Amino acid sequence: MTEKILIAVAWPYANGFLHLGHIAGSELPADIFARYHRTRGDEVLMVSGSDQHGTPITLKAEEEGKTPAEIVARYHALHLDAWSKLGISYDLYTSTGTANHAAVTHDIFLTLLKKGFIYKSSMSQPYCPKCQRFLPDRYVEGVCPHCHFADARGDQCDQCGKPLNAAELVAPRCRTCATAPEFRESEHFFLKLTAFQQQLEAWITKQTHWRQNVLNFSLGYLAEGLKDRPITRDINWGITVPVPGFESKRIYVWFEAVIGYLSASKEWAAGTPNPEAWRTFWQGEARSYYFLGKDNIVFHSIIWPAMLMGYGGLNLPADVPANEFLTFESKKGSKSHNWAVWVPDYTARYDPDPLRYFAAANMPETSDADFSWHEFIRRNNDELVATYGNLVNRVLTFAYRNFEGLVPQPGEIDVVDRSLLERSEGTLDAVGRLLHDCHFREAIRTAMSLAQEANRFLDEKSPWKTIKIDRGTAATALWVAIAVISDLKTMLYPFLPFSSQKVHEYLGFSGTVEAGGWKTDRPVPGQKMVSPQPLFAKIDEKLAEEETARLGQGAP
Ligand SMILES: [Zn+2]
Ligand SMILES: [Zn+2]
């Protein structure tokens, strides 16, 4: 039975380059999941976009002496380029700057207001007497009241991940001039999260299939007791507040960014023959999966579900497979210290599949994982090239040269052949089940173990030797190896889409791997092959030193 799957990926801010942590943490697992489900024949909608609002954008604009609009235009274009070069296959990658997104946000705001889940209240807001303005979230810094981190921001603590209000910070200071702010009264709207405490507890307790880190964080957060949160700010960049008297204020970015999943789905549907098609992915039996980093869990497991519960009629998340962080050479990635590997730097020098392989095999699913250039090159050379690339290359090249460019005709299948063919089919099923449950790292390891098994089979059968004495035996061994390679290109397709499509064509198949379906697809003996080229290239180990030295150098 086909499934209806919404794949919602956390919206990156359009205020800087993306780094490999973004890719390994949310973009790549989402893309793997989407490609798997599309190959299965499921209906998939994968959406996200650039977050154009909030203080990360205005701060960057002030730093560079540009307008927020100039900043977001530049980085949105770079994000789109990154998806195209890395093969992140969005059905729609939009931005929060569209009229559609503003309209959908206003609808949710006004509906929650009418139902009493949003209310107006006065709150004390930090005001910098020197800068003569209110200081929204990131414009204030101070000590985290929970973990005592010295540089917590007025919206969230980066060390313990807890969302904060500026008033909770110990020893607050203006980010621009370091003056201690004074607190002045300002009228704002609040989301009544307290109204959803019990409903959320009952719902999350039932999500036993969620990752342990996501469950623990969410239940721990609920156990502390929810607090109502302000959803408007004294700022002039963002979505307007659809209520008279609030013209000088804007909707807080955390409230509207999560609405982006819905507005992007509606924007996608508006571009199809059926503008109501978004309902397929938000109502009924559709399942929604949210891909994000651990610093974003609370917004997707608690706050967005509360908004959906209040609004009514739309599905709650089926799963929130949040990842931990990717560190770089064992140090936490940092934009301000330029400590990360930036996507434009990577894509300028290397192919997408080796990165996709590394990030999937080393995905930070249950704990932080590390990127180092030595390890990246080792995995490329020892695993991708030596185990999988060489298997494909030596079998296809040998078959192509010795059998007139046709898939060889096998003779009698013996017990060793049959055992490998059965293992291949079983592995395709196993990888599918693992992907279905969002176990990406185990899925790619399982697929690679089949490639190792095929190499052992070839060492035993040695068709390169037997061909001189018994052409039929060699043909059988090659056909079996080709059949396994055909399964491998399917099960590795979600991870390595570029090279899988090449293998598909070398084997003489037409169309796409995706259209071929998640099933064993044995090349027919006599099928015309295409002259194969090596799938991957070895990377010189000396480059590791050079690349490592670039970390932290210059402006990203
Ligand atoms: Zn903290
Ligand atoms: Zn100031």
Side-chain angles (χ1 to χ4, degrees), residues 144 146-149 157 159-161:
C144 173
H146 302 289
C147 74
H148 311 296
F149 179 53
C157 170
Q159 183 156 287
C160 68

Side-chain angles (χ1 to χ4, degrees), residues 280-357:
T280 305
F281 300 98
W282 283 88
Q283 294 174 325
E285 80 246 40
R287 289 169 62 78
S288 48
Y289 292 77
Y290 292 78
F291 289 86
L292 42 124
K294 66 178 166 188
D295 52 338
N296 249 325
I297 293 174
V298 65
F299 296 103
H300 295 82
S301 69
I302 291 180
I303 292 175
W304 176 230
M307 290 162 68
L308 288 166
M309 286 169 177
Y311 186 77
L314 300 175
N315 292 347
L316 298 177
D319 202 354
V320 184
N323 273 333
E324 306 282 307
F325 290 145
L326 189 70
T327 56
F328 296 94
E329 305 284 347
S330 305
K331 284 202 309 207
K332 194 176 175 230
S334 158
K335 251 182 203 174
S336 48
H337 296 106
N338 190 13
W339 192 259
V341 176
W342 306 101
V343 171
D345 278 350
Y346 177 89
T347 54
R349 295 199 291 286
Y350 301 98
D351 289 334
D353 276 357
L355 173 63
R356 294 178 63 112
Y357 176 76

Side-chain angles (χ1 to χ4, degrees), residues 127-133 135 139 173-181:
Y127 182 91
C128 178
K130 196 167 170 199
C131 299
Q132 295 196 334
R133 64 177 177 187
L135 300 176
Y139 283 81
R173 58 183 189 269
C174 170
R175 188 191 144 110
T176 313
C177 71
T179 302

Side-chain angles (χ1 to χ4, degrees), residues 18 39 75 87-88 106 229 233-234 281 289 352 373 430 442-443 448 472 479 481 506 518 533 549-550:
L18 295 157
T39 309
Y75 289 107
I88 308 294
H106 285 169
R229 277 175 65 101
R233 303 268 80 184
D234 292 287
F281 300 98
Y289 292 77
W373 282 103
E442 207 182 329
M448 287 299 280
W479 184 84
Y506 295 157
W518 194 266
Q533 303 296 316
R550 289 167 62 94

